[in-house]
Amino acid sequence: MGVALPSHLLYRPVHMKISSSSPASRSPSQVQTLLRCFGYLRPHWKATAGAYGMMVLVDLINMINPQIIRWAIDHGIRTASSSLLTLAVIGLLGLVILKGVMTYFEGRWTEVASQSVAYDLRNELQRKITLLSFSFHDQAEAGDLLSRAIQDVERIRFLTGRATFRVVEGALLMLLTAAVLLSMNPRLALMAVLIIPLLAVQSIRFGRVFRPLSMQIQKQLAALTTRVEQNLRGARVIKTFAQEDAEIERFEAENRRWFDLSARSARLQAWNMPLLHLIANLGSVAILAYGGTLVIEGSLSLGELVAFTTYMAQLVAPVRFLGMILPAITMAAASAERVFEILDTVPDVREAPDAVPLRLTRGHVRFENVSFSYGRRDEALKDISFEVQPNQVVALLGPTGSGKTTVVNLIPRFYDPSSGRILLDGQDIRTVTIASLRGQIGMVLQDTTLFAASIRENIAFGRPDASQEQIEAAACAAQADEFIRRMANGYDTEVGERGVTLSGGQKQRVAIARALLTDPRILILDDATSSVDAETEHLIQLALQRVMEGRTTFVIAHRFSTVQRADLILLLERGRLVAQGRHEDLLRTSALYQRIVREQLLPAERKA
């Protein structure tokens, strides 16, 4: 029995680069990243085009409104013509109603397009994460992946929707307003237009500072999410070691880092917004002062001055949006980098373009000079060669860390060997489709994982179309049917997250039933009976003896009875195959085997 580690050692967040299996390349620029985000709008171009078309019409109405106000003042109010004033009011009212209708469709279509982008991105992320190799999941953290799939995608949605829409709308409004002002009074318009470069310079300066900070905030938020997820997952360990207070302190430390970064971000934005407003309002004040002088001199009408100030008010609105949206765009670019980092990750295990379905009829397994290492670490397997005949039961034995689990993980291509090859019925497993390979292999993993669903759904996970009779037959073979029927809802009983409502032995038997239901040609039991008592193990072994018939079976052995019944024992030490044969042969020829039997297998058998 292993020694349990304190929760802070089990669940310490590890900051790693997701794309470690990707080819080395320069990081894309912010512009390239943003353009890639906008590429996701292409399938939804109709809604996007409709929204931007409405935006152009709304901006044109914004250009017409001040001119109607100007006309109403100069020709209606100054001449005391109630009929002209009434006509102007009716015209303004009609434009306001029309603008309201167009704004409705503008907002609706913008949201439809951006939500579609989020939908597509999350599907693509889920597909990518599901298809990535075990080496990716060995390094990735669930909290970080959740943060990318939910929070980061949401920021991209805002970028491709309202954020960019408001920036384009503001830019168009500025251009149209500048053109109209220049046509009305070039000298007065020049004062208004001069503030635009100042606003642009301040916005660019702000973006340069805010972008790296937003990336830090995103990473820290992912770390915080990871801490929450791991504390929830490790709640039993935390309570077992009375580490509640320590975990609270660690969470507070992560939360404090996020708070400090967010506070710094708030300070930057709090400084940026008033500065942008100050620049814009200085322009309005200058126009009022100079324009008022022109009205007094008679070179500018009162209606024109009111129109000028109205146009300037319309310029201030996009500036205000710019101040709020630029930080969001910067954060969205940082989020997009994190999302695309996953999407661009190249799996270590890839299917060959010309891969063919596996034709497995016998179950012959052959390892030829197989070596393997996890990343840059020392080799976990070194030049392993062995041959397993069809229908044999193979027991893998060796000290902890000798490579037993690595051997069985290579058969379904959870990893690919660094060198050498693995043959099933004479076919190199790298030349066949991964789905057909894994469809022929039933596996009960050492860490039993059940889903928050019914027992029926968990057993049928690898074969969703299985009938109730087939599910019950698999459960009977795994000695699980009896305890399942004793439950209140039988096979419809919900097992809770990670099967928390079941005992270790019950979870193990459900996992065995799940593997048996697929009727595999090769069966892999990775410590499959480690969580059951001796009586339950005996029942399972009796059942397995029946289901092993006609199948090649690999068992990671922990009990003496297992190696006694094996047709072939593979003895590993430090990644090397040091001996192989039957129990009686190894007992005579291998000192290491004698020691393992004496010090590990027989004591475990007596305790059981």
Side-chain angles (χ1 to χ4, degrees):
M1 180 176 178
V3 178
L5 296 177
S7 61
H8 68 280
L9 296 179
L10 283 171
Y11 301 106
R12 179 177 297 165
V14 178
H15 300 287
M16 39 73 71
K17 187 166 180 63
I18 291 290
S19 56
S20 56
S21 58
S22 301
S25 60
R26 290 194 310 169
S27 298
S29 67
Q30 184 173 4
V31 173
Q32 290 174 316
T33 301
L34 293 176
L35 288 175
R36 184 172 177 183
C37 290
F38 297 135
Y40 282 87
L41 284 169
R42 193 173 296 115
H44 316 290
W45 66 270
K46 291 182 179 179
T48 304
Y52 279 86
M54 290 295 104
M55 176 197 72
V56 171
L57 294 176
V58 168
D59 278 357
L60 290 176
I61 290 176
N62 287 331
M63 293 300 101
I64 296 172
N65 280 342
Q67 295 299 326
I68 294 178
I69 294 172
R70 169 192 173 186
W71 186 82
I73 293 173
D74 289 343
H75 299 279
I77 296 175
R78 291 193 64 179
T79 61
S81 175
S82 59
S83 59
L84 291 180
L85 181 61
T86 301
L87 185 62
V89 170
I90 293 172
L92 281 173
L93 182 61
L95 287 176
V96 167
I97 294 172
L98 182 60
K99 179 181 175 181
V101 173
M102 291 178 176
T103 302
Y104 164 77
F105 285 106
E106 169 191 292
R108 178 183 174 184
W109 289 335
T110 301
E111 197 64 22
V112 166
S114 63
Q115 288 289 358
S116 298
V117 168
Y119 173 83
D120 294 342
L121 263 177
R122 288 196 178 103
N123 281 342
E124 193 172 339
L125 267 175
Q126 171 63 20
R127 174 179 173 80
K128 185 70 175 187
I129 291 171
T130 304
L131 295 177
L132 280 171
S133 311
F134 268 48
S135 56
F136 170 86
H137 294 284
D138 290 340
Q139 302 177 67
E141 296 171 342
D144 180 70
L145 295 179
L146 284 172
S147 176
R148 297 184 193 224
I150 297 174
Q151 293 159 336
D152 289 340
V153 169
E154 180 62 20
R155 285 191 168 92
I156 295 174
R157 182 201 65 77
F158 181 66
L159 166 72
T160 56
R162 295 189 180 276
T164 303
F165 189 89
R166 293 305 178 198
V167 170
V168 174
E169 181 184 44
L172 178 61
L173 193 60
M174 285 182 180
L175 290 174
L176 291 174
T177 302
V180 172
L181 292 179
L182 287 169
S183 68
M184 290 176 62
N185 190 307
R187 287 184 300 172
L188 196 57
L190 188 61
M191 298 182 66
V193 174
L194 282 176
I195 69 167
I196 295 177
L198 296 177
L199 295 172
V201 169
Q202 172 56 24
S203 298
I204 291 171
R205 287 178 57 194
F206 176 78
R208 286 176 179 172
V209 176
F210 195 77
R211 187 191 182 201
L213 177 60
S214 64
M215 178 64 84
Q216 286 181 287
I217 291 173
Q218 289 300 92
K219 289 181 178 179
Q220 185 56 34
L221 187 58
L224 191 64
T225 306
T226 297
R227 172 62 66 181
V228 172
E229 186 271 336
Q230 290 176 339
N231 281 348
L232 291 173
R233 181 159 49 90
R236 292 174 182 268
V237 178
I238 293 169
K239 292 182 181 299
T240 298
F241 289 92
Q243 289 294 302
E244 292 93 339
D245 292 340
E247 283 302 314
I248 290 171
E249 290 178 6
R250 294 183 189 102
F251 178 82
E252 286 179 353
E254 295 286 356
N255 200 20
R256 170 58 60 180
R257 294 188 191 99
W258 180 80
F259 176 83
D260 291 342
L261 289 169
S262 298
R264 184 182 168 196
S265 167
R267 285 195 299 271
L268 283 173
Q269 294 185 68
W271 167 256
N272 183 60
M273 283 295 293
L275 188 56
L276 290 174
H277 277 291
L278 176 63
I279 295 171
N281 289 327
L282 283 176
S284 297
V285 171
I287 287 174
L288 182 60
Y290 181 59
T293 303
L294 294 178
V295 171
I296 293 171
E297 294 175 352
S299 57
L300 187 72
S301 72
L302 181 60
E304 287 176 322
L305 179 59
V306 172
F308 253 91
T309 55
T310 305
Y311 281 122
M312 281 304 300
Q314 291 184 169
L315 276 180
V316 172
V319 168
R320 186 174 68 253
F321 281 125
L322 200 65
M324 292 187 294
I325 288 172
L326 277 180
I329 291 177
T330 302
M331 294 187 75
S335 293
E337 288 180 16
R338 287 162 44 80
V339 170
F340 295 145
E341 193 176 32
I342 295 177
L343 296 180
D344 293 340
T345 299
V346 179
D348 290 334
V349 176
R350 297 189 292 277
E351 194 171 275
D354 57 348
V356 297
L358 174 65
R359 301 182 306 278
L360 190 60
T361 57
R362 300 174 61 235
H364 180 272
V365 180
R366 183 180 180 88
F367 275 55
E368 294 183 352
N369 307 113
V370 171
S371 297
F372 175 77
S373 62
Y374 293 96
R376 298 180 180 178
R377 289 182 283 173
D378 293 338
E379 286 186 317
L381 295 179
K382 304 172 185 177
D383 198 29
I384 298 288
S385 295
F386 63 85
E387 186 172 0
V388 180
Q389 298 301 324
N391 307 330
Q392 281 191 328
V393 176
V394 182
L396 291 101
L397 194 63
T400 300
S402 59
K404 306 182 294 294
T405 300
T406 302
V407 168
V408 297
N409 280 340
L410 292 179
I411 298 173
R413 283 195 76 191
F414 292 159
Y415 306 90
D416 272 341
S418 308
S419 61
R421 62 177 187 161
I422 301 170
L423 305 175
L424 298 184
D425 280 3
Q427 302 164 79
D428 190 328
I429 61 174
R430 284 174 292 196
T431 66
V432 302
T433 60
I434 294 176
S436 66
L437 169 66
R438 294 176 184 170
Q440 296 281 0
I441 299 172
M443 195 165 187
V444 180
L445 300 173
Q446 187 174 28
D447 181 17
T448 302
T449 298
L450 299 182
F451 299 95
S454 67
I455 293 176
R456 174 188 288 105
E457 290 172 293
N458 272 284
I459 294 177
F461 182 77
R463 191 178 165 189
D465 59 342
S467 66
Q468 180 64 22
E469 291 73 18
Q470 292 169 324
I471 292 172
E472 291 177 4
C476 288
Q479 300 296 316
D481 181 72
E482 183 180 350
F483 83 78
I484 293 172
R485 292 187 182 278
R486 287 201 304 266
M487 293 185 168
N489 297 317
Y491 282 84
D492 292 321
T493 301
E494 298 287 327
V495 301
E497 187 175 5
R498 300 176 67 84
V500 69
T501 61
L502 302 181
S503 69
Q506 290 172 336
K507 286 194 292 186
Q508 204 79 327
R509 282 179 277 173
V510 170
I512 292 171
R514 179 171 59 192
L516 297 180
L517 185 61
T518 61
D519 191 24
R521 300 299 302 165
I522 296 175
L523 188 62
I524 296 175
L525 307 176
D526 185 354
D527 202 14
T529 57
S530 63
S531 299
V532 299
D533 55 35
E535 181 181 355
T536 302
E537 184 196 12
H538 175 68
L539 294 173
I540 292 176
Q541 292 293 353
L542 290 176
L544 290 178
Q545 285 179 21
R546 295 195 302 270
V547 300
M548 285 176 184
E549 295 177 3
R551 294 181 174 88
T552 304
T553 306
F554 290 81
V555 183
I556 294 181
H558 290 268
R559 293 190 177 176
F560 184 64
S561 56
T562 302
V563 298
Q564 275 188 311
R565 288 193 292 268
D567 299 305
L568 176 65
I569 300 169
L570 301 177
L571 183 60
L572 296 116
E573 184 180 29
R574 296 179 181 176
R576 294 187 181 277
L577 182 60
V578 295
Q580 58 179 306
R582 293 183 65 86
H583 167 67
E584 297 80 6
D585 301 329
L586 295 182
L587 207 55
R588 291 194 307 270
T589 59
S590 173
L592 175 62
Y593 182 74
Q594 294 170 10
R595 188 173 77 248
I596 292 175
V597 169
R598 183 175 63 253
E599 297 178 1
Q600 296 180 23
L601 300 183
L602 287 177
E605 199 80 7
R606 295 191 194 100
K607 289 180 182 178

